Amino acid sequence: MNNVETIKVVPARYPLRTVGAIVALFVLAVVVQSVAFNPRWEWSVFARWFFDPVILEGVGQTLLLTLIGTALSVVIGGLLALARLSSSWLLSSLAWGYIWLFRSLPLIVVLIILYNFSYLYDTLSLGVPFTGITWGSFETINVLGQFSTAVVGLTLVQSAYTAEIIRGGFLGVDHGQYEAAAALGLPASRRTLRIILPQALRTILPAGFNEIISLAKGTAMVYVLAMPELFYTIQMIYNRTQEVIPLLMVGAVWYLVITTVLSAIQHLVERALARSERRSAVNTTRATRTCSVTTQTTQEPVHASLS
């Protein structure tokens, strides 16, 4: 008669994890109580101003600055990244100098200098340097207004960071991919857009979206231009009403909404990219198996003649 030994499985216990969860919930409850039930937060004022048309107009300006700044910085940053990776020492040096300069300067300094650009130069001319040949001349004060100055300043600074993110993504692709694409005889533009860039996106996207979120919050710096974006609008209101804390909370919640939406878009884009990579891998595997089976079935037997 065989004796069957029964093994009893006991789940592992983590008492410290339980204690930590209880402490975290206790701290969270204390914070919620102190914020929700403290009358000095003036939540009624917060509710009155949150959807006010003036605040919504400021939110629209913030979103517009973020959209335009992102689009322009991706284009300029991409060109700078390609210049940094170029075999031309001149292009690489100029791109490095641009990136070094605008990563070193604070955004607020760039905005103030651009806003006072008309003091340094009365006109902007397009022509041949060191000659009297000009094709057009514009008064600086008419070219760089509040909105255009904010867009130019945000783009100049953001392009430097975007360029390094894109360059890091390209450097993260295995060098054998470059060699294989070149061996196929593809032109440089097709190699970059169809083979290298899709692989580099896996590295570029997370850091790139972080920079977009930073840009959305960085638009608050354009308050120095007296431009009515979200933060400047809130400043003007609480300077008039003296309701500082609830109006700052209005701005904080709107920035939370904007960054949450951008984070959700990042998640959807990364998931779609991962799904497309899995589908591509499955199709490649199926094609390889089909080719192997076809080769085996069409192969003719070889008969050796015996003499």
Side-chain angles (χ1 to χ4, degrees):
M1 183 176 181
N2 296 329
N3 294 327
V4 179
E5 184 179 355
T6 304
I7 301 176
K8 184 179 180 180
V9 179
V10 179
R13 292 180 175 84
Y14 302 96
L16 292 179
R17 183 183 300 178
T18 304
V19 172
I22 293 173
V23 171
L25 289 174
F26 176 77
V27 172
L28 179 62
V30 170
V31 172
V32 170
Q33 181 187 10
S34 66
V35 173
F37 297 99
N38 187 347
R40 295 186 181 181
W41 285 96
E42 300 181 75
W43 292 112
S44 59
V45 178
F46 171 89
R48 186 174 77 247
W49 284 105
F50 190 72
F51 289 109
D52 189 270
V54 178
I55 298 293
L56 294 179
E57 185 178 351
V59 173
Q61 289 288 330
T62 295
L63 292 175
L64 185 60
L65 286 173
T66 303
L67 178 62
I68 297 176
T70 299
L72 293 178
S73 64
V74 167
V75 174
I76 298 175
L79 295 176
L80 287 170
L82 293 177
R84 283 278 283 123
L85 296 171
S86 172
S87 57
S88 169
W89 67 269
L90 179 59
L91 286 178
S92 180
S93 300
L94 290 175
W96 180 87
Y98 177 98
I99 294 169
W100 166 78
L101 177 63
F102 285 103
R103 287 175 70 190
S104 304
L105 294 176
L107 174 59
I108 192 170
V109 173
V110 176
L111 291 173
I112 293 175
I113 291 175
L114 288 174
Y115 197 57
N116 293 278
F117 200 72
S118 58
Y119 170 76
L120 299 173
Y121 301 96
D122 296 329
T123 59
L124 293 176
S125 301
L126 181 63
V128 180
F130 304 107
T131 65
I133 302 175
T134 58
W135 297 300
S137 180
F138 309 93
E139 291 187 4
T140 309
I141 195 170
N142 295 330
V143 175
L144 290 177
Q146 289 177 325
F147 185 80
S148 57
T149 300
V151 169
V152 171
L154 291 170
T155 301
L156 288 175
V157 175
Q158 190 63 33
S159 297
Y161 293 97
T162 305
E164 287 298 278
I165 291 172
I166 295 175
R167 185 176 72 92
F170 278 102
L171 291 176
V173 178
D174 186 78
H175 189 69
Q177 299 291 323
Y178 292 87
E179 296 176 348
L184 293 174
L186 298 175
S189 59
R190 191 174 179 84
R191 292 199 305 263
T192 302
L193 295 176
R194 298 299 299 273
I195 296 178
I196 307 304
L197 182 59
Q199 299 180 65
L201 281 177
R202 290 177 294 181
T203 306
I204 293 173
L205 279 178
F209 269 97
N210 282 341
E211 286 301 317
I212 295 174
I213 291 173
S214 297
L215 177 62
K217 295 182 294 183
T219 55
M221 286 293 179
V222 304
Y223 79 93
V224 297
L225 308 179
M227 182 182 168
E229 48 79 45
L230 177 58
F231 185 66
Y232 182 78
T233 302
I234 287 172
Q235 275 189 318
M236 291 299 98
I237 295 174
Y238 72 60
N239 285 337
R240 187 177 71 249
T241 64
Q242 299 302 312
E243 298 168 332
V244 179
I245 297 299
L247 283 165
L248 285 178
M249 290 302 297
V250 169
V253 172
W254 271 118
Y255 282 119
L256 281 172
V257 171
I258 293 172
T259 55
T260 301
V261 171
L262 290 174
S263 299
I265 294 173
Q266 175 186 355
H267 173 71
L268 293 175
V269 171
E270 290 180 350
R271 189 171 66 177
L273 182 62
R275 189 185 302 117
S276 113
E277 289 178 352
R278 287 195 299 267
R279 189 183 303 115
S280 175
V282 169
N283 291 337
T284 303
T285 304
R286 288 178 179 175
T288 304
R289 291 178 179 175
T290 304
C291 180
S292 176
V293 171
T294 305
T295 304
Q296 292 177 2
T297 54
T298 57
Q299 184 179 8
E300 297 182 357
V302 178
H303 300 281
S305 59
L306 299 176
S307 56

mmCIF file with all atom_site columns, all heavy atoms in Angstrom, residues 106-118:
data_model
loop_
_atom_site.group_PDB
_atom_site.id
_atom_site.type_symbol
_atom_site.label_atom_id
_atom_site.label_alt_id
_atom_site.label_comp_id
_atom_site.label_asym_id
_atom_site.label_entity_id
_atom_site.label_seq_id
_atom_site.pdbx_PDB_ins_code
_atom_site.Cartn_x
_atom_site.Cartn_y
_atom_site.Cartn_z
_atom_site.occupancy
_atom_site.B_iso_or_equiv
_atom_site.pdbx_formal_charge
_atom_site.auth_seq_id
_atom_site.auth_comp_id
_atom_site.auth_asym_id
_atom_site.auth_atom_id
_atom_site.pdbx_PDB_model_num
ATOM 1   N N   . PRO A 1 106 ? 17.861 79.685 -19.714 1.00 0.00 ? 106 PRO A N   1
ATOM 2   C CA  . PRO A 1 106 ? 16.511 79.498 -19.186 1.00 0.00 ? 106 PRO A CA  1
ATOM 3   C C   . PRO A 1 106 ? 15.479 80.055 -20.166 1.00 0.00 ? 106 PRO A C   1
ATOM 4   O O   . PRO A 1 106 ? 15.723 81.044 -20.873 1.00 0.00 ? 106 PRO A O   1
ATOM 5   C CB  . PRO A 1 106 ? 16.520 80.305 -17.877 1.00 0.00 ? 106 PRO A CB  1
ATOM 6   C CG  . PRO A 1 106 ? 17.967 80.489 -17.540 1.00 0.00 ? 106 PRO A CG  1
ATOM 7   C CD  . PRO A 1 106 ? 18.693 80.527 -18.841 1.00 0.00 ? 106 PRO A CD  1
ATOM 8   N N   . LEU A 1 107 ? 14.314 79.430 -20.186 1.00 0.00 ? 107 LEU A N   1
ATOM 9   C CA  . LEU A 1 107 ? 13.259 79.847 -21.113 1.00 0.00 ? 107 LEU A CA  1
ATOM 10  C C   . LEU A 1 107 ? 12.850 81.294 -20.872 1.00 0.00 ? 107 LEU A C   1
ATOM 11  O O   . LEU A 1 107 ? 12.619 82.053 -21.831 1.00 0.00 ? 107 LEU A O   1
ATOM 12  C CB  . LEU A 1 107 ? 12.054 78.922 -20.957 1.00 0.00 ? 107 LEU A CB  1
ATOM 13  C CG  . LEU A 1 107 ? 10.802 79.292 -21.759 1.00 0.00 ? 107 LEU A CG  1
ATOM 14  C CD1 . LEU A 1 107 ? 11.088 79.327 -23.247 1.00 0.00 ? 107 LEU A CD1 1
ATOM 15  C CD2 . LEU A 1 107 ? 9.672  78.323 -21.445 1.00 0.00 ? 107 LEU A CD2 1
ATOM 16  N N   . ILE A 1 108 ? 12.762 81.700 -19.620 1.00 0.00 ? 108 ILE A N   1
ATOM 17  C CA  . ILE A 1 108 ? 12.309 83.056 -19.317 1.00 0.00 ? 108 ILE A CA  1
ATOM 18  C C   . ILE A 1 108 ? 13.285 84.101 -19.861 1.00 0.00 ? 108 ILE A C   1
ATOM 19  O O   . ILE A 1 108 ? 12.875 85.182 -20.307 1.00 0.00 ? 108 ILE A O   1
ATOM 20  C CB  . ILE A 1 108 ? 12.086 83.221 -17.789 1.00 0.00 ? 108 ILE A CB  1
ATOM 21  C CG1 . ILE A 1 108 ? 11.344 84.518 -17.500 1.00 0.00 ? 108 ILE A CG1 1
ATOM 22  C CG2 . ILE A 1 108 ? 13.395 83.138 -17.025 1.00 0.00 ? 108 ILE A CG2 1
ATOM 23  C CD1 . ILE A 1 108 ? 10.885 84.628 -16.061 1.00 0.00 ? 108 ILE A CD1 1
ATOM 24  N N   . VAL A 1 109 ? 14.587 83.777 -19.866 1.00 0.00 ? 109 VAL A N   1
ATOM 25  C CA  . VAL A 1 109 ? 15.583 84.696 -20.414 1.00 0.00 ? 109 VAL A CA  1
ATOM 26  C C   . VAL A 1 109 ? 15.408 84.834 -21.922 1.00 0.00 ? 109 VAL A C   1
ATOM 27  O O   . VAL A 1 109 ? 15.452 85.938 -22.477 1.00 0.00 ? 109 VAL A O   1
ATOM 28  C CB  . VAL A 1 109 ? 17.006 84.213 -20.065 1.00 0.00 ? 109 VAL A CB  1
ATOM 29  C CG1 . VAL A 1 109 ? 18.053 85.066 -20.774 1.00 0.00 ? 109 VAL A CG1 1
ATOM 30  C CG2 . VAL A 1 109 ? 17.227 84.243 -18.565 1.00 0.00 ? 109 VAL A CG2 1
ATOM 31  N N   . VAL A 1 110 ? 15.198 83.713 -22.607 1.00 0.00 ? 110 VAL A N   1
ATOM 32  C CA  . VAL A 1 110 ? 14.981 83.743 -24.062 1.00 0.00 ? 110 VAL A CA  1
ATOM 33  C C   . VAL A 1 110 ? 13.750 84.565 -24.404 1.00 0.00 ? 110 VAL A C   1
ATOM 34  O O   . VAL A 1 110 ? 13.754 85.381 -25.347 1.00 0.00 ? 110 VAL A O   1
ATOM 35  C CB  . VAL A 1 110 ? 14.850 82.303 -24.604 1.00 0.00 ? 110 VAL A CB  1
ATOM 36  C CG1 . VAL A 1 110 ? 14.526 82.319 -26.089 1.00 0.00 ? 110 VAL A CG1 1
ATOM 37  C CG2 . VAL A 1 110 ? 16.133 81.523 -24.356 1.00 0.00 ? 110 VAL A CG2 1
ATOM 38  N N   . LEU A 1 111 ? 12.667 84.390 -23.651 1.00 0.00 ? 111 LEU A N   1
ATOM 39  C CA  . LEU A 1 111 ? 11.429 85.121 -23.922 1.00 0.00 ? 111 LEU A CA  1
ATOM 40  C C   . LEU A 1 111 ? 11.618 86.624 -23.729 1.00 0.00 ? 111 LEU A C   1
ATOM 41  O O   . LEU A 1 111 ? 11.149 87.434 -24.545 1.00 0.00 ? 111 LEU A O   1
ATOM 42  C CB  . LEU A 1 111 ? 10.310 84.607 -23.015 1.00 0.00 ? 111 LEU A CB  1
ATOM 43  C CG  . LEU A 1 111 ? 9.806  83.197 -23.300 1.00 0.00 ? 111 LEU A CG  1
ATOM 44  C CD1 . LEU A 1 111 ? 8.834  82.750 -22.221 1.00 0.00 ? 111 LEU A CD1 1
ATOM 45  C CD2 . LEU A 1 111 ? 9.142  83.117 -24.673 1.00 0.00 ? 111 LEU A CD2 1
ATOM 46  N N   . ILE A 1 112 ? 12.317 87.017 -22.670 1.00 0.00 ? 112 ILE A N   1
ATOM 47  C CA  . ILE A 1 112 ? 12.520 88.447 -22.413 1.00 0.00 ? 112 ILE A CA  1
ATOM 48  C C   . ILE A 1 112 ? 13.405 89.066 -23.489 1.00 0.00 ? 112 ILE A C   1
ATOM 49  O O   . ILE A 1 112 ? 13.150 90.189 -23.959 1.00 0.00 ? 112 ILE A O   1
ATOM 50  C CB  . ILE A 1 112 ? 13.117 88.652 -21.008 1.00 0.00 ? 112 ILE A CB  1
ATOM 51  C CG1 . ILE A 1 112 ? 12.094 88.249 -19.939 1.00 0.00 ? 112 ILE A CG1 1
ATOM 52  C CG2 . ILE A 1 112 ? 13.533 90.105 -20.805 1.00 0.00 ? 112 ILE A CG2 1
ATOM 53  C CD1 . ILE A 1 112 ? 12.628 88.296 -18.525 1.00 0.00 ? 112 ILE A CD1 1
ATOM 54  N N   . ILE A 1 113 ? 14.458 88.358 -23.906 1.00 0.00 ? 113 ILE A N   1
ATOM 55  C CA  . ILE A 1 113 ? 15.329 88.886 -24.968 1.00 0.00 ? 113 ILE A CA  1
ATOM 56  C C   . ILE A 1 113 ? 14.550 89.043 -26.269 1.00 0.00 ? 113 ILE A C   1
ATOM 57  O O   . ILE A 1 113 ? 14.666 90.069 -26.961 1.00 0.00 ? 113 ILE A O   1
ATOM 58  C CB  . ILE A 1 113 ? 16.544 87.955 -25.158 1.00 0.00 ? 113 ILE A CB  1
ATOM 59  C CG1 . ILE A 1 113 ? 17.470 88.027 -23.953 1.00 0.00 ? 113 ILE A CG1 1
ATOM 60  C CG2 . ILE A 1 113 ? 17.310 88.340 -26.426 1.00 0.00 ? 113 ILE A CG2 1
ATOM 61  C CD1 . ILE A 1 113 ? 18.632 87.055 -24.006 1.00 0.00 ? 113 ILE A CD1 1
ATOM 62  N N   . LEU A 1 114 ? 13.734 88.051 -26.624 1.00 0.00 ? 114 LEU A N   1
ATOM 63  C CA  . LEU A 1 114 ? 12.946 88.150 -27.853 1.00 0.00 ? 114 LEU A CA  1
ATOM 64  C C   . LEU A 1 114 ? 11.923 89.271 -27.772 1.00 0.00 ? 114 LEU A C   1
ATOM 65  O O   . LEU A 1 114 ? 11.655 89.954 -28.768 1.00 0.00 ? 114 LEU A O   1
ATOM 66  C CB  . LEU A 1 114 ? 12.251 86.819 -28.124 1.00 0.00 ? 114 LEU A CB  1
ATOM 67  C CG  . LEU A 1 114 ? 13.130 85.662 -28.583 1.00 0.00 ? 114 LEU A CG  1
ATOM 68  C CD1 . LEU A 1 114 ? 12.318 84.380 -28.671 1.00 0.00 ? 114 LEU A CD1 1
ATOM 69  C CD2 . LEU A 1 114 ? 13.770 85.967 -29.931 1.00 0.00 ? 114 LEU A CD2 1
ATOM 70  N N   . TYR A 1 115 ? 11.353 89.462 -26.590 1.00 0.00 ? 115 TYR A N   1
ATOM 71  C CA  . TYR A 1 115 ? 10.340 90.512 -26.436 1.00 0.00 ? 115 TYR A CA  1
ATOM 72  C C   . TYR A 1 115 ? 10.957 91.896 -26.595 1.00 0.00 ? 115 TYR A C   1
ATOM 73  O O   . TYR A 1 115 ? 10.279 92.851 -26.989 1.00 0.00 ? 115 TYR A O   1
ATOM 74  C CB  . TYR A 1 115 ? 9.669  90.377 -25.065 1.00 0.00 ? 115 TYR A CB  1
ATOM 75  C CG  . TYR A 1 115 ? 8.363  91.137 -24.972 1.00 0.00 ? 115 TYR A CG  1
ATOM 76  C CD1 . TYR A 1 115 ? 7.333  90.885 -25.874 1.00 0.00 ? 115 TYR A CD1 1
ATOM 77  C CD2 . TYR A 1 115 ? 8.168  92.089 -23.980 1.00 0.00 ? 115 TYR A CD2 1
ATOM 78  C CE1 . TYR A 1 115 ? 6.131  91.574 -25.783 1.00 0.00 ? 115 TYR A CE1 1
ATOM 79  C CE2 . TYR A 1 115 ? 6.968  92.783 -23.883 1.00 0.00 ? 115 TYR A CE2 1
ATOM 80  C CZ  . TYR A 1 115 ? 5.958  92.514 -24.785 1.00 0.00 ? 115 TYR A CZ  1
ATOM 81  O OH  . TYR A 1 115 ? 4.763  93.197 -24.699 1.00 0.00 ? 115 TYR A OH  1
ATOM 82  N N   . ASN A 1 116 ? 12.249 92.016 -26.274 1.00 0.00 ? 116 ASN A N   1
ATOM 83  C CA  . ASN A 1 116 ? 12.961 93.292 -26.432 1.00 0.00 ? 116 ASN A CA  1
ATOM 84  C C   . ASN A 1 116 ? 13.831 93.292 -27.690 1.00 0.00 ? 116 ASN A C   1
ATOM 85  O O   . ASN A 1 116 ? 14.764 94.102 -27.792 1.00 0.00 ? 116 ASN A O   1
ATOM 86  C CB  . ASN A 1 116 ? 13.833 93.560 -25.199 1.00 0.00 ? 116 ASN A CB  1
ATOM 87  C CG  . ASN A 1 116 ? 13.011 93.809 -23.953 1.00 0.00 ? 116 ASN A CG  1
ATOM 88  O OD1 . ASN A 1 116 ? 12.525 94.901 -23.717 1.00 0.00 ? 116 ASN A OD1 1
ATOM 89  N ND2 . ASN A 1 116 ? 12.826 92.764 -23.156 1.00 0.00 ? 116 ASN A ND2 1
ATOM 90  N N   . PHE A 1 117 ? 13.530 92.418 -28.632 1.00 0.00 ? 117 PHE A N   1
ATOM 91  C CA  . PHE A 1 117 ? 14.346 92.297 -29.841 1.00 0.00 ? 117 PHE A CA  1
ATOM 92  C C   . PHE A 1 117 ? 14.285 93.570 -30.680 1.00 0.00 ? 117 PHE A C   1
ATOM 93  O O   . PHE A 1 117 ? 15.251 93.935 -31.347 1.00 0.00 ? 117 PHE A O   1
ATOM 94  C CB  . PHE A 1 117 ? 13.874 91.105 -30.664 1.00 0.00 ? 117 PHE A CB  1
ATOM 95  C CG  . PHE A 1 117 ? 14.885 90.603 -31.639 1.00 0.00 ? 117 PHE A CG  1
ATOM 96  C CD1 . PHE A 1 117 ? 16.014 89.928 -31.208 1.00 0.00 ? 117 PHE A CD1 1
ATOM 97  C CD2 . PHE A 1 117 ? 14.726 90.807 -32.997 1.00 0.00 ? 117 PHE A CD2 1
ATOM 98  C CE1 . PHE A 1 117 ? 16.963 89.463 -32.106 1.00 0.00 ? 117 PHE A CE1 1
ATOM 99  C CE2 . PHE A 1 117 ? 15.661 90.349 -33.903 1.00 0.00 ? 117 PHE A CE2 1
ATOM 100 C CZ  . PHE A 1 117 ? 16.784 89.673 -33.464 1.00 0.00 ? 117 PHE A CZ  1
ATOM 101 N N   . SER A 1 118 ? 13.131 94.253 -30.644 1.00 0.00 ? 118 SER A N   1
ATOM 102 C CA  . SER A 1 118 ? 12.997 95.473 -31.443 1.00 0.00 ? 118 SER A CA  1
ATOM 103 C C   . SER A 1 118 ? 13.908 96.584 -30.927 1.00 0.00 ? 118 SER A C   1
ATOM 104 O O   . SER A 1 118 ? 14.228 97.516 -31.670 1.00 0.00 ? 118 SER A O   1
ATOM 105 C CB  . SER A 1 118 ? 11.546 95.948 -31.449 1.00 0.00 ? 118 SER A CB  1
ATOM 106 O OG  . SER A 1 118 ? 11.096 96.185 -30.123 1.00 0.00 ? 118 SER A OG  1
#
